[in-house]
């Protein structure tokens, strides 16, 4: 009898574990009790970045506090709609992955220039035209996926994480010209410590929302420090405000403004491609050409909706990529829940004002963990790459070029606007350099010349027998081409694994040594 009861309990536990595993898939839906806090966590991670662009553009154009508040509400409202389109998807729109959408920083300079010379209506007209261009160009741009083998995708993901550290540092500095106040550094470090302690000691359900808890605890602690939390605007904010289309007047379409924003659209598609591939790697659902085209179309549709509802071009937010990696929650419906929360925040200014009260220093502490996880995901992708001198050079130069505007923001101030539009974004600059260097140094001819060389020099940091595997350079991480390993090398790997079983590096979930891609 006791044996039967134990067997029954064991079966029940196994069924629960199986149910939890089925929930934690891209298409699985977590219980509502977990869905809301997980979605709110994504909102808090991207909120500061989401409202920064309307604040910057509206401030540069001399808008009143009321107009700035409307721009922020419109931004949150459309960000929610764009996120729902991207995560749920319909027809050929939406990548159907846990991605959050927000206004891109790449458009800030051009929008300010257009707004000061032609008016805000020209900004919205150029935004609508940019979105239409992105929708039409998506199937052609998706064909470029073959230019994103692991050496490129890993480098781009690493660059995304490293470049975003400037955002985290900016939150901690909080606009101070004399560096970060010690109290800000203390709160950032404290928030980061809380997240680490939750990951170490808390039960698994709380670990999933470690960032949300870190932000909440950091904010509660900041309430007791004068000047850290500013909720003065909560009382003045209304309970409901509908976002009306064309609030600032009908859009105008100026050719020069449209050309400028189309260039922004190309930058957006480049950055979004890196983010989509990164999320696909993290949730183990590689992005195909068709899925990439669907995601880029959703970006374009979100941008068109943004122009109609008085806001700006939209792209995937890289900081939320880090949150997916940190929490391990793969469900795209978590992003959908976050999108619904954003829509509500856009319609209820009072709730939005409460969320806006989270101290920037607390956000900065959480940002260190989030953005660091993005960089770590890039390193994980690069671990599939065979690091000969040429591949080391590709990563080194790409990261170096990408970080130039991060370490010295004024480096390209004397260059034309079209140049700064591309290279002031470390992500787009690094991606372009990585693609071009990979084409130059890993051409078909050079791969064929090295095909018989299964040995690696000391400079390649051999990781074990798996490092000698030869695969198609575009196979890993794209889902486009099945991995092809030479039979002779399979036998060599099997013999080496038998002799040195501890040196093989298995690929996650595959049960076999991980192949290396050039």
């Amino acid at each position: 009898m006791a044996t039967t009861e134990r067997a029954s309990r064991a079966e029940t536990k196994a069924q629960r574990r199986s149910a939890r595993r089925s929930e934690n898939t891209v298409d699985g839906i977590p219980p509502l009790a977990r869905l809301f806090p997980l979605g709110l966590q994504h909102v808090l991670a991207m909120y500061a970045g989401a409202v920064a662009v309307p604040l910057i553009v509206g401030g540069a154009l001399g808008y009143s506090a009321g107009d700035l508040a409307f721009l922020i509400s419109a931004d949150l409202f459309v960000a929610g709609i764009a996120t729902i389109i991207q995560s749920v998807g319909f027809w050929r729109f939406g990548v159907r992955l846990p991605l959050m959408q927000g206004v891109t920083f790449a458009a800030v300079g051009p929008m300010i220039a257009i707004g000061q010379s032609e008016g805000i209506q020209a900004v919205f007209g150029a935004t609508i035209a940019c979105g239409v261009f992105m929708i039409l160009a998506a199937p052609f741009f998706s064909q470029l996926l073959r230019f994103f083998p692991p050496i490129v995708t890993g480098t781009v993901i690493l660059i995304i994480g490293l470049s975003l550290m400037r955002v985290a540092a900016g939150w901690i500095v909080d606009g101070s010209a004399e560096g970060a106040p010690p109290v800000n550094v203390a709160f950032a470090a404290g928030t980061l410590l809380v997240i680490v302690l939750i990951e170490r000691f808390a039960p698994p359900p709380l670990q999933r929302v470690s960032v949300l808890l870190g932000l909440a605890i950091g904010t509660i602690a900041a309430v007791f420090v004068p000047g850290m939390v500013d909720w003065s605007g909560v009382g003045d904010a209304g309970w409901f405000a509908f976002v009306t289309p064309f609030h600032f007047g009908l859009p105008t379409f100026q050719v020069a403004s449209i050309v400028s924003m189309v260039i922004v659209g190309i930058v957006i598609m480049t950055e979004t491609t890196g983010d989509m591939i990164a999320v696909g790697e993290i949730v183990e659902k590689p992005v195909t050409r068709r899925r990439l085209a669907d995601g880029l179309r959703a970006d374009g549709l979100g941008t068109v909706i943004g122009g109609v509802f008085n806001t700006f071009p939209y792209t995937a937010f890289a900081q939320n990529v880090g949150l997916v990696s940190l929490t391990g929650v793969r469900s795209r419906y978590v992003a959908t829940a976050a999108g619904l929360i954003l829509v509500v925040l856009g319609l209820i200014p009072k709730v939005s004002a409460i969320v806006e009260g989270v101290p920037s220093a607390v956000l900065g502490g959480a940002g260190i963990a989030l953005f660091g996880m993005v960089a770590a995901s890039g390193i994980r992708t690069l671990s599939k790459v065979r690091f000969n001198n040429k591949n080391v050079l590709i990563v080194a130069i790409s990261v170096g070029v990408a970080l130039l505007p991060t370490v010295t923001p004024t480096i390209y101030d004397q260059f034309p606007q079209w140049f700064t539009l591309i290279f002031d974004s470390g992500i787009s600059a690094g991606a372009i350099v990585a693609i071009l260097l990979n084409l130059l140094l890993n051409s078909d001819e050079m791969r064929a010349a090295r095909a018989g060389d299964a040995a690696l020099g000391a400079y390649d940091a051999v990781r074990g027998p798996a490092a000698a595997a030869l695969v198609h350079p575009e196979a890993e991480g794209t889902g486009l081409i099945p991995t092809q390993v030479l039979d002779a090398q399979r036998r060599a790997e099997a013999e080496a694994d038998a002799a040195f079983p501890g040196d093989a590096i298995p690929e996650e979930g595959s049960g076999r040594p991980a192949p290396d891609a050039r």
Side-chain angles (χ1 to χ4, degrees), residues 6-353:
R6 283 196 297 269
S8 177
R9 286 197 297 267
E11 183 179 355
T12 301
K13 290 180 180 179
Q15 291 174 350
R16 290 175 179 172
R17 285 195 296 268
S18 177
R20 285 195 295 268
R21 282 195 297 269
S22 64
E23 289 170 3
N24 193 27
T25 62
V26 172
D27 298 318
I29 304 178
L32 183 61
R34 292 179 56 214
L35 192 61
F36 176 77
L38 289 171
L40 181 60
Q41 186 172 236
H42 272 285
V43 171
L44 292 176
M46 57 94 67
Y47 187 87
V51 302
V53 173
L55 283 174
I56 294 170
V57 175
L61 299 181
Y63 275 27
S64 65
D67 285 338
L68 283 176
F70 184 87
L71 283 176
I72 292 173
S73 294
D75 176 28
L76 295 174
F77 178 75
V78 178
I81 293 176
T83 298
I84 294 170
I85 293 172
Q86 193 69 271
S87 58
V88 176
F90 69 94
W91 190 50
R92 298 300 301 275
F93 291 86
V95 71
R96 295 171 175 84
L97 288 175
L99 272 175
M100 298 293 296
Q101 299 292 110
V103 174
T104 177
F105 283 86
V108 169
M111 288 191 300
I112 292 176
I114 295 170
Q116 291 176 340
S117 61
E118 305 291 343
I120 193 68
Q121 295 85 359
V123 173
F124 298 141
T127 299
I128 294 172
C130 174
V132 172
F133 165 79
M134 292 168 65
I135 293 173
L136 297 177
F140 305 100
F141 198 89
S142 67
Q143 299 303 312
L144 302 179
L145 189 59
R146 65 190 182 90
F147 296 115
F148 288 85
I151 184 66
V152 174
T153 59
T155 302
V156 172
I157 297 168
L158 175 61
I159 288 169
I160 290 172
L162 295 177
S163 298
L164 286 172
M165 281 299 171
R166 182 171 67 175
V167 177
W171 286 338
I172 298 172
V173 173
D174 196 19
S176 174
E178 300 176 353
V183 66
N184 284 19
V185 176
F187 270 94
T191 302
L192 191 57
L193 178 61
V194 168
I195 293 172
V196 172
L197 292 177
I198 292 172
E199 288 287 343
R200 172 62 181 85
F201 297 107
L206 293 182
Q207 291 176 10
R208 299 293 190 185
V209 290
S210 59
V211 175
L212 176 60
L213 292 176
L215 290 170
I217 294 172
T219 302
I220 292 171
V223 170
F224 299 97
V225 179
M228 283 293 293
V229 179
D230 181 15
W231 280 326
S232 59
V234 176
D236 298 331
W239 281 105
F240 180 81
F242 187 72
V243 180
T244 54
F246 306 125
H247 176 80
F248 296 97
L250 294 176
T252 60
F253 299 91
Q254 308 288 336
V255 175
S257 301
I258 292 173
V259 171
S260 178
M261 292 299 284
V262 164
I263 296 175
V264 171
I266 296 173
V267 174
I268 290 173
M269 289 191 288
T270 302
E271 292 185 358
T272 298
T273 296
D275 291 332
M276 289 180 184
I277 292 174
V279 170
E281 292 280 350
I282 292 169
V283 302
E284 298 180 356
K285 191 168 185 177
V287 176
T288 61
R289 288 193 181 101
R290 173 169 178 167
R291 189 179 292 272
L292 175 60
D294 293 347
L296 295 176
R297 282 193 195 92
D299 262 15
L301 180 58
T303 299
V304 171
I305 296 173
V308 172
F309 282 92
N310 321 285
T311 184
F312 312 117
Y314 283 80
T315 185
F317 257 36
Q319 46 261 58
N320 294 91
V321 175
L323 188 57
V324 173
S325 179
L326 183 63
T327 62
V329 178
R330 303 178 181 185
S331 173
R332 59 191 172 107
Y333 294 104
V334 170
T336 305
L340 291 172
I341 293 172
L342 285 171
V343 170
V344 171
L345 290 176
L347 296 175
I348 306 178
K350 193 175 288 293
V351 177
S352 179

Side-chain angles (χ1 to χ4, degrees), residues 447-455 470 489 518:
R447 285 197 293 265
R450 297 197 302 267
D453 182 14
L470 293 180
Q489 288 177 319
R518 286 192 184 90

